[in-house]
Amino acid sequence: MRIRVQNEAFDLGVEVAAMSRGRTDIGAIASFVGLARDMNAGSGVAAMTLEHYPGMTEKALAKLVDEACARWTLLDVTVIHRVGRLLPGDPIVLVAVAGQHRGEAFAACEFIMDYLKTQAPFWKKEETADGERWVEARASDDAAAARWTDS
């Protein structure tokens, strides 16, 4: 299991290759890559800055991965989240989950991403033509994560 919070961009191909290198027990790798958009809440976004608390954020991500591993039989998980100033089109987050079968890999990947959006201690500030603004949590993200509380 790999969890990283970093300023540098990541490469999906490199990360998936590292996850599967030398492994013949993996039957599926499901992945999600989140990208910075140039539009949010009806206005253009020139850049965004992601902040976190070092140490605390990694612990929260590790707890989230542990919970996914308790729910599904997973062979490996990689979570990479960037911090710092990002431009539209830049990769922000990678969640990659390896399992014997696609169903568990897909479900765990979606679970991790849903909770990452709502539980992980990151703060996002956008730069717009009207100035800077902090991004509030979305009700739709909370609703997506809530569906996992019954399963």
Side-chain angles (χ1 to χ4, degrees), residues 2 31 33 82 84 99 112 131 141:
R2 285 170 300 289
S31 64
V33 175
R82 294 183 63 196
I112 292 169
D141 290 333

Side-chain angles (χ1 to χ4, degrees), residues 28-72:
I29 297 175
S31 64
F32 173 86
V33 175
L35 305 172
R37 293 186 311 267
D38 66 352
M39 180 72 65
N40 189 32
S43 61
V45 176
M48 79 168 149
T49 301
L50 285 152
E51 297 181 3
H52 77 300
Y53 284 119
M56 183 176 92
T57 302
E58 291 82 355
K59 281 184 185 177
L61 295 177
K63 182 178 176 186
L64 177 55
V65 169
D66 288 345
E67 187 172 342
C69 290
R71 288 174 176 247
W72 295 280

Side-chain angles (χ1 to χ4, degrees), residues 10-34:
F10 53 83
D11 182 307
L12 173 63
V14 169
E15 298 301 331
V16 169
M19 179 178 271
S20 60
R21 187 172 296 114
R23 305 278 308 255
T24 57
D25 56 337
I26 294 174
I29 297 175
S31 64
F32 173 86
V33 175

